[in-house]
Coordinates of all heavy atoms in Angstrom, one line a residue:
M1 N -4.5 -22.1 -26.0 CA -3.4 -22.3 -25.0 C -3.5 -21.0 -24.0 O -3.4 -19.9 -24.5 CB -2.1 -22.5 -25.6 CG -1.0 -22.5 -24.6 SD 0.6 -22.7 -25.4 CE 1.0 -24.3 -24.9
P2 N -3.6 -21.3 -22.7 CA -3.6 -20.2 -21.8 C -2.3 -19.4 -21.7 O -1.2 -20.0 -21.8 CB -3.9 -20.8 -20.4 CG -4.0 -22.2 -20.6 CD -3.7 -22.6 -22.0
N3 N -2.5 -18.0 -21.6 CA -1.2 -17.2 -21.5 C -0.8 -17.2 -20.1 O -1.5 -16.6 -19.2 CB -1.6 -15.8 -22.0 CG -0.4 -14.9 -22.0 OD1 0.6 -15.2 -21.4 ND2 -0.6 -13.8 -22.7
P4 N 0.4 -17.7 -19.6 CA 0.9 -17.7 -18.3 C 1.0 -16.3 -17.7 O 0.9 -16.1 -16.5 CB 2.2 -18.4 -18.3 CG 2.6 -18.5 -19.7 CD 1.4 -18.3 -20.5
L5 N 1.3 -15.3 -18.5 CA 1.6 -13.9 -18.1 C 0.1 -13.3 -17.7 O 0.1 -12.5 -16.8 CB 2.2 -13.1 -19.2 CG 3.6 -13.5 -19.4 CD1 4.1 -12.5 -20.6 CD2 4.5 -13.3 -18.3
K6 N -0.9 -13.6 -18.4 CA -2.2 -13.1 -18.0 C -2.8 -13.7 -16.8 O -3.4 -13.0 -16.0 CB -3.2 -13.4 -19.2 CG -3.4 -12.3 -20.1 CD -4.6 -12.6 -21.0 CE -5.1 -11.4 -21.6 NZ -6.2 -11.6 -22.5
E7 N -2.3 -14.9 -16.4 CA -2.8 -15.6 -15.2 C -2.0 -15.3 -14.0 O -2.4 -15.7 -12.9 CB -2.9 -17.1 -15.5 CG -3.8 -17.6 -16.5 CD -3.8 -19.0 -16.8 OE1 -3.1 -19.9 -16.1 OE2 -4.5 -19.5 -17.8
A8 N -0.8 -14.6 -14.2 CA 0.0 -14.3 -13.0 C -0.8 -13.2 -12.1 O -1.4 -12.3 -12.7 CB 1.3 -13.8 -13.5
I9 N -0.6 -13.3 -10.9 CA -1.2 -12.4 -10.0 C -0.2 -11.2 -9.8 O 1.0 -11.4 -9.5 CB -1.5 -13.0 -8.5 CG1 -2.5 -14.0 -8.7 CG2 -2.0 -11.9 -7.6 CD1 -2.8 -14.8 -7.5
M10 N -0.7 -10.0 -10.0 CA 0.1 -8.8 -9.9 C -0.2 -8.2 -8.5 O -1.3 -8.0 -8.2 CB -0.3 -7.9 -11.0 CG 0.7 -6.7 -11.1 SD 2.1 -7.2 -12.1 CE 2.2 -5.7 -13.1
S11 N 0.9 -7.8 -7.9 CA 0.8 -7.2 -6.5 C 1.5 -5.8 -6.7 O 2.6 -5.6 -7.2 CB 1.4 -7.9 -5.5 OG 0.8 -9.2 -5.4
V12 N 0.8 -4.8 -6.1 CA 1.5 -3.4 -6.0 C 1.5 -3.0 -4.5 O 0.5 -3.1 -3.8 CB 0.6 -2.4 -6.8 CG1 1.3 -1.0 -6.6 CG2 0.6 -2.9 -8.3
V13 N 2.7 -2.7 -4.0 CA 2.9 -2.4 -2.6 C 3.2 -0.9 -2.6 O 4.0 -0.4 -3.4 CB 4.0 -3.1 -2.0 CG1 4.3 -2.7 -0.7 CG2 3.7 -4.6 -2.0
K14 N 2.6 -0.2 -1.7 CA 2.9 1.3 -1.4 C 3.8 1.4 -0.2 O 3.5 0.7 0.9 CB 1.6 2.0 -1.4 CG 1.9 3.6 -1.2 CD 0.6 4.3 -1.4 CE 1.0 5.9 -1.3 NZ -0.1 6.7 -1.7
F15 N 4.7 2.4 -0.1 CA 5.4 2.7 1.1 C 5.1 4.1 1.6 O 4.9 5.1 0.9 CB 6.9 2.7 0.8 CG 7.4 1.3 0.5 CD1 7.3 0.8 -0.9 CD2 8.0 0.5 1.4 CE1 7.9 -0.4 -1.2 CE2 8.4 -0.8 1.1 CZ 8.4 -1.2 -0.2
I16 N 5.0 4.1 3.0 CA 4.8 5.5 3.6 C 5.8 5.6 4.7 O 6.3 4.6 5.2 CB 3.3 5.7 4.1 CG1 3.1 4.7 5.2 CG2 2.3 5.7 3.0 CD1 1.8 5.0 6.0
E17 N 6.2 6.8 5.1 CA 7.0 7.0 6.2 C 6.3 7.6 7.3 O 5.5 8.4 7.2 CB 8.2 8.0 5.8 CG 9.2 7.3 4.7 CD 10.4 8.1 4.4 OE1 10.8 8.8 5.3 OE2 10.9 8.1 3.3
L18 N 6.6 7.1 8.5 CA 6.0 7.6 9.8 C 7.1 7.8 10.8 O 8.2 7.2 10.8 CB 5.1 6.6 10.3 CG 3.9 6.1 9.4 CD1 3.2 4.9 9.9 CD2 3.0 7.3 9.2
S19 N 6.8 8.6 11.9 CA 7.6 8.8 13.0 C 6.7 8.4 14.2 O 5.5 8.7 14.3 CB 8.1 10.2 13.0 OG 9.0 10.4 14.1
A20 N 7.3 7.8 15.2 CA 6.7 7.4 16.4 C 7.7 7.5 17.6 O 8.9 7.4 17.4 CB 6.1 6.0 16.3
Q21 N 7.1 7.7 18.8 CA 7.9 7.7 20.0 C 7.2 7.0 21.2 O 6.0 6.8 21.1 CB 8.3 9.1 20.3 CG 7.2 10.0 20.9 CD 7.8 11.4 21.2 OE1 8.7 11.9 20.7 NE2 7.1 12.0 22.2
S22 N 8.1 6.6 22.1 CA 7.6 5.9 23.3 C 8.5 6.2 24.4 O 9.7 6.3 24.2 CB 7.6 4.3 23.0 OG 7.4 3.7 24.2
P23 N 8.0 6.3 25.6 CA 8.9 6.5 26.8 C 9.5 5.2 27.2 O 10.4 5.1 28.0 CB 7.9 7.0 27.9 CG 6.6 6.5 27.5 CD 6.5 6.5 25.9
Q24 N 8.9 4.0 26.6 CA 9.4 2.7 27.1 C 10.7 2.2 26.4 O 11.7 1.8 27.0 CB 8.3 1.6 27.1 CG 7.4 1.5 28.2 CD 6.3 2.5 28.0 OE1 5.8 2.7 26.9 NE2 5.8 3.0 29.1
S25 N 10.6 2.1 24.9 CA 11.7 1.5 24.2 C 11.5 1.7 22.8 O 10.5 2.2 22.3 CB 11.6 -0.1 24.4 OG 10.5 -0.6 23.9
Y26 N 12.5 1.5 22.0 CA 12.5 1.6 20.5 C 11.4 0.6 19.9 O 10.6 0.9 19.1 CB 13.8 1.3 19.8 CG 14.9 2.4 20.1 CD1 15.9 2.2 20.8 CD2 14.6 3.7 19.5 CE1 16.8 3.3 21.0 CE2 15.5 4.7 19.7 CZ 16.7 4.4 20.5 OH 17.6 5.5 20.7
E27 N 11.5 -0.6 20.5 CA 10.5 -1.6 20.1 C 9.1 -1.2 20.4 O 8.3 -1.4 19.5 CB 10.8 -3.0 20.9 CG 10.0 -4.1 20.4 CD 10.2 -5.4 21.2 OE1 11.2 -5.5 21.8 OE2 9.4 -6.3 21.1
D28 N 8.8 -0.5 21.4 CA 7.5 0.0 21.7 C 7.1 1.0 20.6 O 6.0 1.1 20.3 CB 7.3 0.4 23.1 CG 5.9 0.7 23.5 OD1 5.0 -0.2 23.3 OD2 5.6 1.9 23.9
A29 N 8.0 1.9 20.4 CA 7.8 3.0 19.4 C 7.4 2.3 18.0 O 6.5 2.8 17.4 CB 9.0 3.8 19.3
I30 N 8.1 1.3 17.6 CA 7.8 0.6 16.4 C 6.5 0.0 16.4 O 5.7 0.2 15.5 CB 8.9 -0.5 16.1 CG1 10.2 0.1 15.9 CG2 8.6 -1.4 14.8 CD1 11.5 -0.8 15.9
K31 N 6.2 -0.6 17.5 CA 4.8 -1.3 17.6 C 3.7 -0.2 17.5 O 2.7 -0.4 16.9 CB 4.7 -2.0 18.9 CG 5.5 -3.4 18.9 CD 5.4 -4.0 20.3 CE 6.1 -5.3 20.3 NZ 6.0 -5.9 21.7
Q32 N 3.9 0.9 18.2 CA 2.9 2.0 18.1 C 2.7 2.5 16.8 O 1.6 2.8 16.3 CB 3.3 3.2 19.1 CG 3.1 2.7 20.5 CD 3.4 4.0 21.4 OE1 3.0 5.1 21.2 NE2 3.9 3.8 22.6
A33 N 3.9 2.6 16.0 CA 3.7 3.2 14.6 C 2.8 2.2 13.7 O 1.9 2.6 13.1 CB 5.1 3.3 13.9
V34 N 3.1 0.9 13.8 CA 2.3 -0.1 13.1 C 0.9 -0.2 13.6 O 0.0 -0.2 12.7 CB 2.9 -1.5 13.2 CG1 2.1 -2.6 12.6 CG2 4.4 -1.5 12.6
E35 N 0.7 -0.2 14.9 CA -0.8 -0.2 15.3 C -1.5 1.0 15.0 O -2.7 0.9 14.7 CB -0.7 -0.4 16.9 CG -0.3 -1.8 17.3 CD 0.0 -1.9 18.9 OE1 -0.4 -1.0 19.6 OE2 0.5 -3.0 19.3
T36 N -0.9 2.2 15.1 CA -1.6 3.4 14.7 C -1.9 3.4 13.2 O -3.0 3.8 12.8 CB -0.8 4.6 15.1 OG1 -0.5 4.7 16.5 CG2 -1.5 5.9 14.7
A37 N -0.9 3.0 12.4 CA -1.1 3.0 10.9 C -2.2 2.0 10.6 O -3.1 2.3 9.7 CB 0.2 2.6 10.2
S38 N -2.4 0.9 11.4 CA -3.4 -0.2 11.0 C -4.8 0.4 11.3 O -5.7 -0.3 10.9 CB -3.0 -1.4 11.8 OG -3.3 -1.2 13.2
N39 N -4.9 1.5 12.0 CA -6.3 2.0 12.2 C -6.9 2.6 10.9 O -8.1 2.6 10.8 CB -6.2 3.2 13.2 CG -6.0 2.7 14.6 OD1 -6.4 1.5 14.9 ND2 -5.4 3.5 15.4
T40 N -6.0 3.0 9.9 CA -6.5 3.5 8.7 C -5.9 2.8 7.4 O -6.4 3.0 6.3 CB -6.1 5.0 8.5 OG1 -4.7 5.1 8.7 CG2 -6.8 5.9 9.6
L41 N -5.0 2.0 7.6 CA -4.4 1.1 6.5 C -4.7 -0.3 6.7 O -4.7 -0.8 7.8 CB -2.9 1.3 6.4 CG -2.3 2.7 6.2 CD1 -0.9 2.7 6.2 CD2 -2.9 3.3 4.8
R42 N -4.9 -1.0 5.5 CA -5.1 -2.4 5.5 C -3.9 -3.1 4.7 O -3.2 -2.5 4.0 CB -6.4 -2.8 4.9 CG -7.7 -2.4 5.7 CD -8.9 -2.9 5.1 NE -9.3 -2.3 3.8 CZ -9.7 -1.2 3.7 NH1 -10.1 -0.3 4.7 NH2 -10.0 -0.7 2.5
N43 N -3.7 -4.4 5.0 CA -2.7 -5.2 4.3 C -1.3 -4.7 4.6 O -0.5 -4.7 3.7 CB -3.1 -5.2 2.8 CG -4.5 -5.6 2.5 OD1 -5.0 -6.5 3.2 ND2 -5.1 -5.0 1.5
I44 N -1.0 -4.2 5.8 CA 0.4 -3.9 6.1 C 1.3 -5.1 6.0 O 0.9 -6.2 6.5 CB 0.6 -3.2 7.5 CG1 -0.3 -1.9 7.4 CG2 2.0 -3.0 7.9 CD1 -0.3 -1.3 8.9
Q45 N 2.4 -5.0 5.2 CA 3.3 -6.1 5.0 C 4.5 -6.2 5.7 O 5.0 -7.2 6.1 CB 3.6 -6.1 3.4 CG 2.4 -6.2 2.5 CD 1.7 -7.5 2.5 OE1 2.2 -8.6 2.3 NE2 0.4 -7.5 2.8
S46 N 5.1 -4.9 6.0 CA 6.3 -4.9 6.6 C 6.6 -3.5 7.1 O 6.0 -2.6 6.7 CB 7.5 -5.3 5.7 OG 7.7 -4.4 4.7
V47 N 7.6 -3.5 8.1 CA 8.1 -2.2 8.6 C 9.6 -2.2 8.6 O 10.2 -3.2 8.9 CB 7.5 -2.0 10.1 CG1 7.9 -3.1 11.0 CG2 7.9 -0.6 10.6
W48 N 10.2 -1.1 8.2 CA 11.6 -1.0 8.1 C 12.0 0.3 8.9 O 11.5 1.3 8.6 CB 12.1 -0.8 6.7 CG 13.5 -0.4 6.5 CD1 14.6 -1.2 6.9 CD2 14.0 0.6 5.7 NE1 15.7 -0.6 6.6 CE2 15.4 0.5 5.8 CE3 13.5 1.7 5.1 CZ2 16.3 1.5 5.3 CZ3 14.3 2.6 4.4 CH2 15.7 2.4 4.5
V49 N 12.9 0.1 9.9 CA 13.3 1.2 10.7 C 14.4 1.9 10.0 O 15.5 1.3 9.8 CB 13.7 0.7 12.2 CG1 14.1 1.9 13.0 CG2 12.5 0.0 12.8
K50 N 14.2 3.1 9.7 CA 15.2 4.0 9.1 C 16.2 4.7 10.0 O 17.4 4.8 9.7 CB 14.6 5.0 8.2 CG 13.9 4.5 7.0 CD 13.2 5.5 6.1 CE 14.3 6.6 5.6 NZ 13.8 7.6 4.7
E51 N 15.7 5.2 11.1 CA 16.4 6.0 12.0 C 16.0 5.7 13.4 O 14.8 5.6 13.7 CB 16.3 7.5 11.8 CG 16.9 7.9 10.4 CD 16.7 9.5 10.2 OE1 16.7 10.2 11.1 OE2 16.4 9.8 9.0
F52 N 16.9 5.9 14.3 CA 16.6 5.8 15.8 C 17.1 7.1 16.4 O 18.2 7.6 16.0 CB 17.4 4.6 16.5 CG 17.1 3.3 16.0 CD1 17.6 2.6 14.9 CD2 16.1 2.5 16.7 CE1 17.3 1.4 14.5 CE2 15.8 1.1 16.4 CZ 16.4 0.7 15.3
E53 N 16.3 7.6 17.4 CA 16.8 8.8 18.0 C 16.2 8.7 19.5 O 15.2 8.0 19.7 CB 16.0 10.0 17.3 CG 16.4 11.4 18.0 CD 15.7 12.5 17.4 OE1 15.0 12.3 16.3 OE2 15.9 13.7 17.8
A54 N 16.9 9.4 20.4 CA 16.4 9.4 21.8 C 16.5 10.8 22.3 O 17.4 11.5 22.0 CB 17.3 8.5 22.6
V55 N 15.5 11.2 23.2 CA 15.5 12.4 23.9 C 16.1 12.2 25.2 O 15.8 11.3 25.9 CB 14.0 12.9 24.0 CG1 14.0 14.2 24.8 CG2 13.4 13.0 22.6
V56 N 17.1 13.1 25.5 CA 17.7 13.1 26.8 C 17.4 14.3 27.6 O 17.5 15.4 27.1 CB 19.2 12.9 26.6 CG1 20.0 13.0 28.0 CG2 19.7 11.7 25.8
E57 N 16.9 14.0 28.8 CA 16.6 15.2 29.7 C 17.3 14.8 31.1 O 17.1 13.7 31.6 CB 15.1 15.3 29.9 CG 14.4 15.7 28.6 CD 12.9 15.8 28.7 OE1 12.4 15.3 29.7 OE2 12.4 16.2 27.8
N58 N 18.0 15.7 31.6 CA 18.7 15.5 33.0 C 19.5 14.2 33.0 O 19.4 13.5 33.9 CB 17.6 15.6 34.1 CG 16.8 16.8 34.2 OD1 17.5 17.9 34.1 ND2 15.6 16.8 34.5
D59 N 20.2 14.1 31.9 CA 21.2 12.9 31.7 C 20.5 11.5 31.7 O 21.1 10.6 31.9 CB 22.2 12.9 32.8 CG 23.1 14.2 32.8 OD1 23.4 14.7 31.8 OD2 23.4 14.6 33.9
K60 N 19.2 11.5 31.4 CA 18.4 10.3 31.2 C 17.7 10.2 30.0 O 17.1 11.2 29.5 CB 17.5 10.1 32.4 CG 18.2 10.0 33.9 CD 17.2 9.4 34.8 CE 17.9 9.4 36.2 NZ 18.9 8.5 36.4
V61 N 17.5 9.1 29.3 CA 16.8 9.0 28.2 C 15.3 8.9 28.5 O 14.9 8.2 29.4 CB 17.0 7.7 27.3 CG1 16.0 7.4 26.2 CG2 18.5 7.6 26.9
T62 N 14.5 9.9 28.0 CA 13.1 10.0 28.3 C 12.1 9.7 27.2 O 11.0 9.2 27.6 CB 12.7 11.5 28.7 OG1 13.1 12.3 27.7 CG2 13.5 11.8 30.0
Q63 N 12.5 9.6 25.9 CA 11.8 9.2 24.8 C 12.6 8.5 23.8 O 13.8 8.9 23.6 CB 11.1 10.4 24.2 CG 10.0 11.1 25.0 CD 8.8 10.3 25.2 OE1 8.4 9.6 24.4 NE2 8.1 10.4 26.3
Y64 N 12.0 7.4 23.2 CA 12.7 6.7 22.1 C 11.8 7.0 20.9 O 10.7 6.8 20.9 CB 12.7 5.3 22.4 CG 13.4 4.9 23.7 CD1 12.8 4.9 25.0 CD2 14.8 4.5 23.8 CE1 13.4 4.5 26.1 CE2 15.4 4.1 24.8 CZ 14.8 4.2 26.0 OH 15.4 3.9 27.2
R65 N 12.6 7.5 19.9 CA 11.9 7.8 18.6 C 12.5 7.0 17.5 O 13.7 6.7 17.4 CB 12.1 9.3 18.3 CG 11.4 10.2 19.3 CD 11.7 11.7 18.8 NE 11.1 12.6 19.7 CZ 11.5 13.9 19.9 NH1 12.5 14.4 19.1 NH2 10.9 14.6 20.8
V66 N 11.6 6.7 16.6 CA 11.9 5.9 15.3 C 11.3 6.5 14.1 O 10.2 7.1 14.2 CB 11.6 4.4 15.4 CG1 12.4 3.7 16.4 CG2 10.1 4.2 15.6
N67 N 12.0 6.5 13.1 CA 11.4 6.9 11.7 C 11.3 5.6 11.0 O 12.4 4.9 10.8 CB 12.2 7.9 11.0 CG 12.2 9.2 11.7 OD1 11.2 9.6 12.2 ND2 13.2 10.0 11.5
V68 N 10.1 5.2 10.5 CA 9.9 3.9 9.8 C 9.4 4.1 8.5 O 8.7 5.1 8.2 CB 9.0 3.0 10.7 CG1 9.7 2.7 12.1 CG2 7.6 3.5 10.8
K69 N 9.5 3.1 7.6 CA 8.9 3.0 6.4 C 8.0 1.7 6.5 O 8.4 0.6 6.9 CB 9.9 2.8 5.3 CG 10.3 3.9 4.5 CD 11.2 3.6 3.5 CE 10.7 4.1 2.2 NZ 11.6 4.0 1.0
L70 N 6.6 1.9 6.2 CA 5.7 0.8 6.2 C 5.3 0.5 4.8 O 5.2 1.4 4.0 CB 4.4 1.3 6.9 CG 4.4 1.3 8.5 CD1 3.0 1.7 8.9 CD2 4.7 0.0 9.1
S71 N 5.2 -0.8 4.5 CA 4.7 -1.1 3.2 C 3.3 -1.8 3.3 O 3.1 -2.6 4.3 CB 5.7 -2.2 2.5 OG 5.7 -3.4 3.1
F72 N 2.5 -1.6 2.4 CA 1.2 -2.2 2.5 C 0.7 -2.5 1.0 O 0.9 -1.8 0.1 CB 0.0 -1.4 3.2 CG -0.1 0.1 2.6 CD1 -1.2 0.3 1.8 CD2 0.7 1.1 3.0 CE1 -1.4 1.5 1.3 CE2 0.5 2.3 2.5 CZ -0.6 2.5 1.7
L73 N 0.0 -3.6 0.9 CA -0.5 -4.1 -0.4 C -1.7 -3.3 -0.8 O -2.7 -3.1 0.0 CB -0.9 -5.5 -0.3 CG -1.3 -6.3 -1.5 CD1 -0.1 -6.4 -2.5 CD2 -1.8 -7.7 -1.2
L74 N -1.7 -2.7 -2.0 CA -2.9 -2.0 -2.4 C -4.0 -2.9 -2.8 O -3.7 -4.0 -3.4 CB -2.5 -1.1 -3.7 CG -1.6 0.0 -3.4 CD1 -1.2 0.7 -4.7 CD2 -2.1 1.0 -2.5
E75 N -5.1 -2.7 -2.3 CA -6.4 -3.5 -2.6 C -6.6 -3.8 -4.0 O -6.4 -2.8 -4.9 CB -7.6 -3.0 -2.0 CG -7.5 -3.0 -0.4 CD -8.8 -2.5 0.2 OE1 -9.7 -2.1 -0.4 OE2 -8.9 -2.5 1.5
G76 N -6.9 -5.0 -4.4 CA -7.2 -5.3 -5.8 C -6.0 -5.6 -6.7 O -6.1 -5.7 -7.8
T77 N -4.8 -5.7 -6.0 CA -3.6 -6.0 -6.8 C -3.0 -7.3 -6.4 O -1.9 -7.6 -6.8 CB -2.6 -4.9 -6.5 OG1 -2.2 -4.8 -5.2 CG2 -3.1 -3.5 -7.0
G78 N -3.6 -8.2 -5.7 CA -3.0 -9.4 -5.3 C -3.7 -10.0 -4.1 O -4.7 -9.5 -3.6
A79 N -3.2 -11.1 -3.6 CA -3.8 -11.8 -2.5 C -3.3 -11.0 -1.3 O -2.2 -10.6 -1.1 CB -3.2 -13.2 -2.4
A80 N -4.3 -10.8 -0.3 CA -4.0 -10.0 1.0 C -3.7 -11.1 2.1 O -4.2 -12.1 2.1 CB -5.1 -9.2 1.3

């Protein structure tokens, strides 16, 4: 009789924290964080924005900054 626990697919996800900024918007800063991370990471699963910050110069917002947590599936630990 097959063991259902042995046949289950095990996934392991790792989290990293990144900071990114954009002169356009918070959304663009998030996209840049994911796109830059995808240059060296595979199997990115999600992004969670931990903090928002803006740089103000001469009474105007000049940079939008985010601190994010990215999760990615470790290779060999489940379906990608």
Side-chain angles (χ1 to χ4, degrees):
M1 173 179 244
N3 183 344
L5 294 177
K6 264 190 159 178
E7 293 178 8
I9 296 175
M10 187 87 138
S11 296
V12 177
V13 176
K14 183 171 182 168
F15 291 88
I16 61 168
E17 291 190 31
L18 301 171
S19 181
Q21 71 178 27
S22 166
Q24 276 88 31
S25 66
Y26 290 115
E27 184 178 342
D28 190 55
I30 295 164
K31 287 178 181 178
Q32 286 188 38
V34 173
E35 288 172 10
T36 301
S38 70
N39 290 331
T40 56
L41 296 174
R42 290 185 295 280
N43 305 320
I44 295 174
Q45 302 292 302
S46 65
V47 60
W48 173 55
V49 181
K50 290 181 60 178
E51 295 180 35
F52 294 89
E53 180 183 356
V55 176
V56 177
E57 296 173 351
N58 298 320
D59 299 327
K60 296 197 187 289
V61 174
T62 59
Q63 293 290 326
Y64 299 87
R65 292 182 182 158
V66 292
N67 291 329
V68 300
K69 270 183 119 171
L70 283 179
S71 68
F72 59 97
L73 185 67
L74 294 179
E75 290 184 356
T77 64

